[in-house]
Amino acid sequence: MIGRIAGRIVYHGEDHVLIDVQGVGYVVYCSDRVRAGLPGAGEAAALFTDLLVREDLLQLFGFPTLIEKEWFRLLLSVQGVGAKAALAILGTLGPDGVSRALALGDWSAIKAARGIGPKTAQRVVNELKDKAPAIMAMGTAEPQGLAPAAASSEVIETAPAATPTPPRAASAQAEALSALGNLGYAPSEAAGAVAEAAGAAPEADTTGLIRAALKLLAPKG
């Protein structure tokens, strides 16, 4: 299994990049959003990867963070959602947007992705809404960057290639989710409250998210 690629970009294709790793070129498929964030030809880049194996095809898919990779794998578990559809959802919403849509049961946000119809969007939400908290909680476990010499990757370029640092917001949401769980709230209701609070205040820190989520969870009336 190839879990991470680090090397130099040879060129950008319409739906992929070619990364040279010590003389071997790897075609890595990415969403438009991820590809737009990668450097140009000749520059160093690193991506977490997922290898899909079919009878007549091997394809590598690339992601800037482990959380995004895990969302991709989870989306693939939904009947009718293939790699192209999963990339479209992640490319449109990003990992935070996907977690928010699932936590809030907002299938219309999923439907906004190219090629995703209402039935598929509803299936995604129905099947994954209870699994969202587990991946949201990964925010605090994201690696904060791997030094090339220390990285234990199966395929690695000797030239420096920094792994993108996850946004601070992801860690804040994960920490808030963990805190609410410690207070006795069910994962699904905690995830919904954190997602709504994060949507209202994207720059909020952990404390701010916890306070806002607790207000949302407080009994009405």
Side-chain angles (χ1 to χ4, degrees):
M1 174 65 71
I2 300 175
R4 179 175 177 267
I5 287 285
R8 296 193 178 277
I9 292 181
V10 178
Y11 71 81
H12 285 250
E14 288 187 2
D15 57 358
H16 66 277
V17 291
L18 180 64
I19 300 181
D20 180 88
V21 181
Q22 297 181 338
V24 178
Y26 290 83
V27 174
V28 184
Y29 292 90
C30 310
S31 69
D32 292 342
R33 177 183 51 80
V34 169
R35 199 163 41 79
L38 291 173
E43 297 295 321
L47 290 169
F48 293 101
T49 56
D50 192 47
L51 177 65
L52 291 190
V53 181
R54 299 174 184 171
E55 290 183 2
D56 58 347
L57 187 66
L58 296 176
Q59 286 182 305
L60 270 178
F61 295 86
F63 313 92
T65 65
L66 281 172
I67 286 182
E68 188 157 347
K69 173 181 174 177
E70 289 305 312
W71 277 122
F72 176 76
R73 294 167 65 92
L74 190 60
L75 286 167
L76 288 180
S77 71
V78 178
Q79 182 182 3
V81 176
K84 185 176 180 179
L87 278 188
I89 293 171
L90 282 167
T92 300
L93 301 178
D96 287 347
V98 172
S99 65
R100 188 175 301 116
L102 294 180
L104 299 177
D106 183 10
W107 62 266
S108 62
I110 302 293
K111 187 173 71 69
R114 184 174 53 204
I116 304 298
K119 289 185 178 180
T120 300
Q122 291 176 26
R123 191 183 305 121
V124 167
V125 169
N126 291 337
E127 292 188 18
L128 302 185
K129 61 183 179 181
D130 292 332
K131 300 178 182 179
I135 296 186
M136 290 173 67
M138 288 178 60
T140 54
E142 278 275 27
Q144 299 298 312
L146 297 174
S152 57
S153 171
E154 295 183 18
V155 181
I156 187 166
E157 168 70 54
T158 54
T163 300
T165 302
R168 191 174 299 174
S171 293
Q173 291 180 39
E175 290 166 359
L177 188 65
S178 176
L180 292 176
N182 292 336
L183 291 174
Y185 289 100
S188 58
E189 64 177 349
V194 170
E196 187 172 345
E203 301 302 321
D205 60 10
T206 302
T207 301
L209 285 179
I210 293 173
R211 289 174 178 169
L214 286 173
K215 288 181 180 179
L216 294 169
L217 291 167
K220 304 296 188 294

